[in-house]
Amino acid sequence: MTTMTKPFDTKRFRRLETIVQGRATSDGAGVQLTRVIGHSLQQRMDPFLMLDAFGSQERSDYQGGFPDHPHRGFETLTYLLAGRMRHHDSAGHEGLLEAGGMQWMSAGRGVIHSEMPEQEEGLLEGFQLWINLPAKDKLSAPAYREVAHNDIPRWTSPQGTSIAILMGALMGMDGAIQRPLTEPLVLDIKIEAGVTEWIPLKNEHHAALYVIRGGIALGQDRLTQREMGILEQDATAEGVYLTAERQSQVLLIAGKPLQEPIIQQGPFVMNTTLEILQAIEDFRNARLTVPPDERAR
Ligand code: FE
C-alpha cells in the first residue's frame, strides 16, 4: 500500500464545461475587438450580456473609439490594462480611465455617452463587460464610478498570487463595486507558474474564466491564452481550482442569474419587445435620459 500525496486538499470543484474562442468583430467607429460573450451565450452566462476583449498596438484598430451612443437597461464594467480612454456622458459624468483602472456605469433608464481612446500610439488593451439589470431597476437613474488602479482592492494569497477584486468580494475582502441581485464577482488574477489557487464560487452563480496571458489547468482540462472557459453548474462544488502552467493572468467572472427574459436591440437590453420599441422611440425623440416624472409633463 502506498499513500498518494495530494498537491492540495480536495474540495469538490467545478469543471470546465465549454471552451469559447470569441469572435473577431468591430464596434463603435471601427474598433477591432473580440466578442467573447455575445447573443448566443446570454442565457448560459446570465446575468452577463456581453464580454468584449480588445488589445492592439495599431492606432487604426482603435482610434475611432466609441463616439456618442445610447444605452438603456444594463450596466457596464470597463477595465483597462493598457492605454487611456476618456468618458463623457449625458448624466454629466466625465473621466479619464488609465491603465489598471476600471469604470462602472449603470445606464439605467438611459445614458448617451462616448468612450474615446486618448492616445496617439501604443497599446490599448482591456475589456468591457455588460451586466444585466433586474427588470425592476431597468428604468432607474444612471450611475457611474471610476476606480483607479491603486484604489482597486487586492488580495494576495500565501503563495503570492495577486487578485484584484473589481466587483464582489473575495476571502472576506470587499472589491471596488458591489451590486445586489446580480452579485457580480470580477477578479483579475495574476498567478505564477506551478501555483494552484482555490477560488470560492457560489454554486448558483454562472462563472467563466478568460485567460488574458499564459495558460491554466482546471483539473484535467486546459485553457490557453485568449480562451474563455465556462464552468459547469455543480450544486455540490464550492469553487474552482486553477493551476498556472506558466505565469498567467486570468479574468474570472461570476454572477447570479436573473432568469428574466432578455431582449437586446443593439445598445438597449430590456425584457420585452415593447420596451425595446419604447427605448428606440425615446432615443429618437431625445427623451431617452428624461426621468419618468418629467416625462409626463
Ligand atoms: Fe457604451
Side-chain angles (χ1 to χ4, degrees):
M1 295 281 283
T2 57
T3 310
M4 294 286 288
T5 312
K6 290 180 178 170
F8 41 78
D9 67 301
T10 48
K11 299 184 184 74
R12 270 195 71 96
F13 61 94
R14 290 213 211 179
R15 291 168 195 277
L16 199 61
E17 177 183 281
T18 321
I19 296 178
V20 176
Q21 301 289 347
R23 186 175 61 85
T25 184
S26 76
D27 209 341
V31 178
Q32 302 302 305
L33 49 84
T34 302
R35 186 141 298 157
V36 185
I37 295 176
H39 273 275
S40 62
L41 288 175
Q42 285 180 339
Q43 296 294 335
R44 177 61 188 84
M45 288 308 300
D46 177 14
F48 301 108
L49 300 165
M50 193 188 86
L51 176 64
D52 281 348
F54 50 91
S56 178
Q57 300 266 7
E58 297 299 321
R59 183 167 183 255
S60 59
D61 286 346
Y62 59 72
Q63 64 182 346
F66 300 86
D68 272 350
H69 60 278
H71 291 297
R72 174 180 279 180
F74 61 97
E75 306 184 339
T76 62
L77 173 71
T78 309
Y79 183 42
L80 211 56
L81 296 173
R84 288 148 62 91
M85 286 191 81
R86 171 84 54 187
H87 170 100
H88 278 281
D89 75 34
S90 53
H93 306 121
E94 187 188 337
L96 180 65
L97 187 59
E98 297 191 87
M102 58 179 268
Q103 179 216 78
W104 166 82
M105 183 184 79
S106 182
R109 64 179 165 255
V111 294
I112 296 167
H113 75 163
S114 62
E115 303 152 283
M116 301 299 289
E118 194 165 281
Q119 62 194 61
E120 295 299 312
E121 54 177 22
L123 179 65
L124 184 76
E125 185 184 24
F127 296 92
Q128 189 168 78
L129 179 67
W130 289 13
I131 307 162
N132 210 355
L133 274 167
K136 70 174 189 63
D137 294 333
K138 280 188 180 285
L139 297 181
S140 60
Y144 172 91
R145 263 192 67 198
E146 229 176 67
V147 186
H149 174 265
N150 288 341
D151 297 326
I152 299 175
R154 280 181 173 71
W155 180 78
T156 304
S157 82
Q159 303 176 92
T161 303
S162 170
I163 304 182
I165 312 168
L166 311 187
M167 298 189 79
L170 180 73
M171 309 294 178
M173 187 185 284
D174 275 349
I177 301 273
Q178 276 79 39
R179 301 299 291 146
L181 305 167
T182 51
E183 303 173 357
L185 174 69
V186 180
L187 306 175
D188 175 7
I189 303 168
K190 287 180 180 162
I191 181 169
E192 294 299 322
V195 171
T196 295
E197 296 290 353
W198 167 256
I199 309 289
L201 295 169
K202 293 189 180 174
N203 51 38
E204 65 187 317
H205 282 196
H206 289 160
L209 292 160
Y210 178 87
V211 179
I212 301 169
R213 276 176 261 285
I216 59 167
L218 300 160
Q220 300 304 309
D221 300 309
R222 290 184 153 67
L223 210 53
T224 189
Q225 192 152 308
R226 290 190 279 277
E227 289 180 335
M228 182 179 80
I230 298 177
L231 302 183
E232 66 173 3
Q233 296 305 115
D234 179 348
T236 66
E238 286 169 9
V240 64
Y241 284 110
L242 55 102
T243 301
E245 298 198 308
R246 42 194 178 277
Q247 190 183 57
S248 298
Q249 185 174 5
V250 179
L251 189 75
L252 180 148
I253 63 171
K256 184 178 175 181
L258 287 169
Q259 298 179 300
E260 293 173 346
I262 302 166
I263 311 282
Q264 177 177 4
Q265 174 79 53
F268 308 125
V269 185
M270 304 299 289
N271 303 110
T272 68
T273 304
L274 204 62
E275 289 166 349
I276 290 290
L277 294 173
Q278 185 67 54
I280 294 168
E281 191 184 307
D282 286 349
F283 178 54
R284 283 197 186 131
N285 297 330
R287 296 179 70 77
L288 187 78
T289 64
V290 179
D293 53 332
E294 289 175 32
R295 214 170 272 249
R297 286 174 210 167

